Amino acid sequence: MERWYWICALLCLVGIFKEFRPSEPYVTKYIVQYKNVTRDELTHVLYPIATYSYLGTLPLIFLVTDFLRYKTVVVFECLALVGCYTLLIWGEGFNNLKILEVLYGFASSAEVAYFTYIYAKVKRENFKKVTSYVHTAIIIGNLVAALSAQAFISLNLLDIRQLNFLTLSSCIGALILAFFLPSVKKSIYFHQNLPLDVSKSLLRNNNPEETVHSSATLVTSITPVRNPCQVLWKDFKLAYSNSHVLKWSVWWAMAAAGNYMIRTYVQALWEDYAGGNDRNTSIYNGAVDAVHTFFSTILALSVGYLKIPWSKYGESLLSGICFLQAGLLFWMALVNSLVVAYINYIILRVTFQVMITIASAEVALQISPDSYGLIFGINRFLALIIQTILTLVINDENGLALSERNQFLAYGCYHLGIGICYALAFIVLCARSRSSSDSTLTSTFQPNQSIIENRISDQTLGQRSTLTSP
């Protein structure tokens, strides 16, 4: 087996272990019941801290990931997760929970290293394969964690507190595996020079002619080292000057922000439906996560085999999905049925995952492979900025601090606004297309009309010459 297969397999194991967190579907219920924290304190004080930590650390992580050559940041992510769940189990007091949220935000931002590490270790022709592998590993970790959580809770094998020990053990396993990842010697922006071992091998060569020949071959086959800032700016400008990339990227950022808000605060809404702090309330959060993960995966994979010109139907499709999501969010906020809320949430998550897959593919088709990390990272950062604004206005104690149901009404209005914007864009494009087609028909018709008039004039002159001739 080729070496890159082993590297990819090890990275996938890291992804599975770090995403195997069976306590996640019940984290809100756990904190409220075991940490002496009210739902209002959790949703208006603690959860917003994770968002602010995410925003504050993502630019730094984005800059140092390439400089530190990926592996170090992957290790830091796993280390932050270990610290996070250690505090969740044994930490006491409100301040410990605040530190926990800071660590969680850092771990979320450091995840970018996991997705980009493999590109520095394999050849470009294997990019598609390894991308599918590392993303599939994340899905497997999430799916197995959700199924395990629901099974343990439903069969009364473990309670929601004991699930945290499973999560912590899995994160420790991911940390141990991350130390065995091979180091990266060359990266895209900051480490484009020759590896040190290549230079040493040239110096150790005893044959001067072979040394000269090898050096010449290497110099001619390797592109010159470029200024990282210039490369970043060139890739940025080239990508976002493309209207197609800009259209899908803007939707990506806005939709991802809304999706993250829904994921973060939906458990508090379910607790409101399920009876608050009643420990005996039977809830199926794990099953819901498993169902939407399974269907999202199947449908997202199916999208790749559909021969649909998404660029042609982009605006209408995006607006229609946003209108659907807005309706589901309004329904969730107004209904009193936990089952209906579960079903609506599954539909929301599946539609988002399918559409984000389409958006990622449409953006990737228009940009160079070397700029994938840059453009996707910028889109993610824009989503985080929007998410932070939504958190400040809707959730934070210094903002509106809306109740759970009113929060989801606000999210519904947000998605409705996105749908209206893309619907208007679709109408404008249709109007322009019709206007251009009309002008084309007019320009085509006018020369034909002039030809007819000239022919009529020639025929008239011919008739007059015939009449006047002897």
Side-chain angles (χ1 to χ4, degrees):
M1 184 180 288
E2 295 183 35
R3 186 171 183 268
W4 72 267
Y5 275 114
W6 293 109
I7 299 173
C8 187
L10 182 58
L11 184 66
C12 289
L13 282 176
V14 173
I16 291 172
F17 272 81
K18 78 182 183 68
E19 291 301 319
F20 181 76
R21 295 179 245 172
S23 60
E24 284 288 291
Y26 304 99
V27 65
T28 296
K29 193 176 187 67
Y30 168 76
I31 294 176
V32 170
Q33 291 182 0
Y34 289 92
K35 296 300 179 181
N36 196 27
V37 175
T38 66
R39 280 211 314 270
D40 287 342
E41 289 174 330
L42 188 60
T43 57
H44 301 321
V45 180
L46 291 176
Y47 281 167
I49 292 175
T51 301
Y52 305 147
S53 172
Y54 192 0
L55 178 65
T57 56
L58 183 61
L60 176 64
I61 291 296
F62 177 72
L63 291 174
V64 303
T65 295
D66 189 90
F67 183 76
L68 295 178
R69 288 177 275 199
Y70 310 101
K71 176 183 174 179
T72 304
V73 182
V74 175
V75 172
F76 281 159
E77 180 195 357
C78 298
L79 192 61
L81 288 172
V82 170
C84 179
Y85 287 99
T86 300
L87 287 174
L88 191 61
I89 296 171
W90 291 292
E92 297 293 340
F94 204 71
N95 289 331
N96 278 327
L97 291 176
K98 288 182 178 180
I99 297 172
L100 181 156
E101 294 297 332
V102 172
L103 288 175
Y104 192 83
F106 174 81
S108 299
S109 62
E111 190 179 29
V112 67
Y114 167 81
F115 289 109
T116 54
Y117 166 88
I118 196 65
Y119 297 128
K121 296 297 294 182
V122 303
K123 296 179 180 179
R124 182 169 295 180
E125 57 263 27
N126 297 318
F127 274 12
K128 287 185 178 181
K129 291 182 181 179
V130 297
T131 299
S132 64
Y133 294 158
V134 297
H135 280 81
T136 301
I138 294 293
I139 294 169
I140 291 173
N142 289 330
L143 183 60
V144 175
L147 290 172
S148 301
Q150 190 60 60
F152 288 136
I153 294 297
S154 298
L155 298 175
N156 294 319
L157 299 176
L158 297 174
D159 59 28
I160 58 176
R161 183 175 184 275
Q162 293 167 335
L163 289 176
N164 288 292
F165 290 94
L166 279 180
T167 301
L168 178 60
S169 301
S170 184
C171 291
I172 292 173
L175 177 62
I176 295 171
L177 289 171
F179 279 109
F180 289 96
L181 288 171
S183 299
V184 174
K185 296 179 180 179
K186 189 175 73 172
S187 60
I188 295 174
Y189 295 112
F190 290 99
H191 300 281
Q192 306 170 51
N193 55 315
L194 288 176
L196 186 61
D197 55 349
V198 174
S199 301
K200 288 182 177 179
S201 66
L202 290 174
L203 292 174
R204 285 197 298 265
N205 197 329
N206 294 325
N207 190 332
E209 294 182 0
E210 291 183 7
T211 302
V212 172
H213 177 72
S214 301
S215 302
T217 303
L218 285 168
V219 169
T220 55
S221 63
I222 296 177
T223 57
V225 177
R226 298 169 293 175
N227 187 311
C229 294
Q230 292 178 352
V231 177
L232 289 167
W233 172 246
K234 181 181 178 181
D235 289 346
F236 172 85
K237 188 176 179 181
L238 186 63
Y240 290 106
S241 60
N242 185 324
S243 60
H244 189 73
V245 172
L246 187 62
K247 172 183 68 178
W248 285 96
S249 294
V250 169
W251 179 87
W252 181 353
M254 293 190 295
N259 174 72
Y260 190 89
M261 297 296 291
I262 295 166
R263 282 172 46 201
T264 303
Y265 296 97
V266 73
Q267 289 187 32
L269 182 67
W270 290 342
E271 284 295 294
D272 183 64
Y273 292 139
N277 295 336
D278 183 8
R279 296 193 183 192
N280 296 320
T281 301
S282 178
I283 52 178
Y284 297 93
N285 299 4
V288 170
D289 281 354
V291 169
H292 80 66
T293 301
F294 176 77
F295 282 106
S296 295
T297 305
I298 298 300
L299 292 176
L301 290 174
S302 301
V303 164
Y305 295 95
L306 297 177
K307 304 297 182 182
I308 298 177
W310 300 112
S311 57
K312 182 178 180 180
Y313 304 105
E315 288 78 6
S316 59
L317 178 65
L318 294 175
S319 61
I321 290 295
C322 288
F323 288 143
L324 171 64
Q325 292 177 331
L328 293 171
L329 289 165
F330 289 141
W331 196 2
M332 288 177 68
L334 300 174
V335 76
N336 290 317
S337 170
L338 180 60
V339 175
V340 172
Y342 278 156
I343 294 172
N344 285 10
Y345 179 70
I346 290 171
I347 298 172
L348 280 166
R349 295 283 287 137
V350 170
T351 53
F352 169 77
Q353 291 297 337
V354 171
M355 290 306 301
I356 207 70
T357 301
I358 296 172
S360 301
E362 288 298 308
V363 171
L365 285 172
Q366 302 292 326
I367 61 178
S368 66
D370 282 348
S371 62
Y372 284 173
L374 173 67
I375 303 306
F376 291 169
I378 291 174
N379 289 347
R380 190 173 184 177
F381 184 61
L382 291 175
L384 188 53
I385 292 175
I386 298 170
Q387 175 195 330
T388 303
I389 295 171
L390 292 174
T391 302
L392 279 168
V393 175
I394 297 173
N395 303 91
D396 197 283
E397 61 177 346
N398 297 315
L400 297 176
L402 299 178
S403 65
E404 288 83 1
R405 291 176 183 265
N406 287 333
Q407 285 176 28
F408 276 75
L409 284 174
Y411 303 151
C413 293
Y414 171 76
H415 283 80
L416 182 63
I418 299 173
I420 291 173
C421 290
Y422 275 87
L424 291 174
F426 177 68
I427 293 172
V428 170
L429 284 175
C430 288
R432 286 181 178 177
S433 176
R434 184 172 181 178
S435 176
S436 61
S437 62
D438 288 345
S439 62
T440 303
L441 287 173
T442 303
S443 61
T444 305
F445 174 76
Q446 284 177 346
N448 293 337
Q449 182 69 21
S450 62
I451 291 172
I452 293 172
E453 290 177 352
N454 290 334
R455 287 180 177 176
I456 294 173
S457 177
D458 291 341
Q459 291 176 1
T460 305
L461 289 174
Q463 291 174 359
R464 286 179 179 175
S465 62
T466 302
L467 290 174
T468 54
S469 60

